[in-house]
Amino acid sequence: MNRMKDKVVIVTGAAQGIGATYARALATEGARIVVADVLDGTPLVAELESMGAEAMAVTTDVADETSATIMAGAAMERFGQIDVLVNNAAIYASLKMKAFEDIDLGEWDKVMAVNVRGPFICARAVVPYMKARGYGRIINISSGTPFKGTPNLLHYVTSKGAVLALSRAMARELGDFGIAVNTLAPGLVLSEGVVANAEMRERLTAPVIASRAIKRDQTPDDLIGPLLFLASDDSAFMTGETVVVDGGSVMH
């Protein structure tokens, strides 16, 4: 129950959904949590504090360099260190499925800004503090979709494929500084956003479950164990790797 004791963890996009699940799980293991989100993270902070955890909320636009710098600075001012960054914030459940030639360029750019530039900017904001201590864990959240070539979400699939490449190259650059960089790739998860997107559920749920070796819906709780493994010293000698958690739809 204390794998993350006294570790300081920033979780982007943590105010709700899967990010909030990550934050609760990390807090349960003793971590001090920074809830970084464009949405109001104070309700989750209050919940975590009621559990006995230390937590703070920082309004953060992951695609904005200044905002990411403020996020890292606020974490350092409150806790004095940054041990783990979970790059969870992304645009997905709000997207409408469509043929790639019908994707608006503005929407393409927005997805890339949050899903690709976001992890890059946030990592760049925290890495100097990690380097100074010779320790860090960066967990980038990708998806099973790049391995499948899931159709009708080309901008999302492309962005999550870029996250895989980003993680591998970043791991090579940061290994000498005691910083591990790994990727967690969930399948179709019944997050709050996915449940609210009726079209996505109707078009994807049945074929995704049929493709799995374990034939059931995936819930946010299915990701807790793998996340804690990557965030803790259980994975100390592991970097540049991708852990796919999707019931065996992708066997990577």
Side-chain angles (χ1 to χ4, degrees):
M1 295 291 290
N2 286 302
R3 273 187 289 177
M4 301 299 298
K5 183 173 174 54
D6 297 329
K7 300 291 188 186
V8 176
V9 184
I10 298 174
V11 184
T12 67
Q16 64 178 9
I18 299 174
T21 297
Y22 293 155
R24 293 185 189 101
L26 289 158
T28 299
E29 289 282 342
R32 295 174 284 176
I33 305 297
V34 179
V35 178
D37 205 314
V38 290
L39 303 176
D40 183 10
T42 55
L44 179 61
V45 168
E47 178 187 337
L48 297 177
E49 290 177 338
S50 73
M51 297 163 47
E54 293 184 69
M56 66 180 294
V58 183
T59 301
T60 307
D61 176 359
V62 299
D64 181 79
E65 185 174 24
T66 300
S67 186
T69 300
I70 291 170
M71 171 196 76
M76 289 297 297
E77 182 177 355
R78 170 73 182 273
F79 296 121
Q81 64 194 64
I82 299 170
D83 298 288
V84 181
L85 169 66
V86 182
N87 275 317
N88 169 72
I91 296 175
Y92 171 59
S94 61
L95 297 172
K96 293 187 178 299
M97 299 183 70
K98 62 186 75 171
F100 80 88
E101 62 264 36
D102 296 328
I103 293 174
D104 176 75
L105 286 180
E107 183 174 283
W108 173 279
D109 290 342
K110 185 176 181 180
V111 169
M112 294 300 162
V114 175
N115 295 11
V116 184
R117 193 169 75 207
F120 163 64
I121 287 175
C122 289
R124 192 163 66 173
V126 305
V127 158
Y129 303 112
M130 291 180 173
K131 282 184 175 181
R133 295 178 62 236
Y135 180 91
R137 300 280 182 269
I138 297 174
I139 304 168
N140 295 318
I141 308 298
S142 181
S143 163
T145 59
F147 301 102
K148 296 176 167 183
T150 301
N152 300 311
L153 287 167
L154 188 71
H155 42 359
Y156 174 77
V157 177
T158 302
S159 73
K160 290 303 186 178
V163 168
L164 298 172
L166 179 149
S167 297
R168 290 169 179 168
M170 193 179 290
R172 292 284 184 192
E173 292 195 32
L174 296 178
D176 287 342
F177 302 97
I179 302 169
V181 185
N182 291 294
T183 306
L184 181 61
L188 179 66
V189 181
L190 293 188
S191 63
E192 296 168 15
V194 169
V195 170
N197 188 327
E199 180 198 21
M200 189 173 286
R201 286 217 64 190
E202 181 178 346
R203 294 179 65 175
L204 292 180
T205 298
V208 165
I209 291 177
S211 73
R212 289 174 175 162
I214 302 172
K215 290 181 168 43
R216 64 165 173 83
D217 282 318
Q218 180 171 1
T219 70
D221 285 353
D222 290 317
L223 297 166
I224 290 174
L227 178 86
L228 292 174
F229 170 70
L230 294 175
S232 71
D233 289 337
D234 289 356
S235 58
F237 198 56
M238 176 177 168
T239 193
E241 294 297 332
T242 302
V243 179
V244 180
V245 184
D246 69 352
S249 180
V250 171
M251 294 189 179
H252 170 67

